[in-house]
Amino acid sequence: MSKFTVPDKVLFVCTGSKCAKRGGKDMYKLAHKFAKHAKDDIEVFRIECTDRCDYAPVCTISPGNTWLKEYSPKEVLKLLED
């Protein structure tokens, strides 16, 4: 069994149709660029749907299982920096 590195933080950004229209797609692109230059090891994943369309856009950050709804990019990047 081979070993692999586990990132310090993981961001899952919903880019389903409603979230994408409300900023999810742009948030994914911004966070992906941010992660490349962050001091922590951060991985950013695009997910298709969280089934929380009433709260779009939606994302979650681990560890901590923090869910954000109707977020601004500034809020997400601040949590990734902490």
Side-chain angles (χ1 to χ4, degrees):
M1 184 159 70
S2 63
K3 293 184 179 184
F4 58 92
T5 59
V6 177
D8 298 320
K9 296 178 185 175
V10 180
L11 173 67
F12 296 94
V13 181
C14 181
T15 58
S17 61
K18 201 165 206 178
C19 284
K21 289 177 188 172
R22 293 185 178 180
K25 198 172 188 179
D26 293 333
M27 183 69 244
Y28 170 76
K29 290 176 185 176
L30 179 65
H32 197 265
K33 288 179 186 175
F34 175 85
K36 288 181 181 179
H37 305 288
K39 63 180 178 182
D40 293 330
D41 183 20
I42 301 172
E43 284 193 42
V44 181
F45 293 97
R46 165 176 41 197
I47 55 177
E48 189 56 36
C49 188
T50 61
D51 199 27
R52 291 169 174 85
C53 299
D54 291 342
Y55 307 106
V58 176
C59 70
T60 183
I61 299 172
S62 292
N65 195 27
T66 303
W67 284 80
L68 298 173
K69 62 178 185 167
E70 301 167 346
Y71 58 77
S72 72
K74 187 176 181 179
E75 291 174 286
V76 176
L77 295 181
K78 184 174 176 16
L79 286 174
L80 290 176
E81 283 180 333
D82 292 338

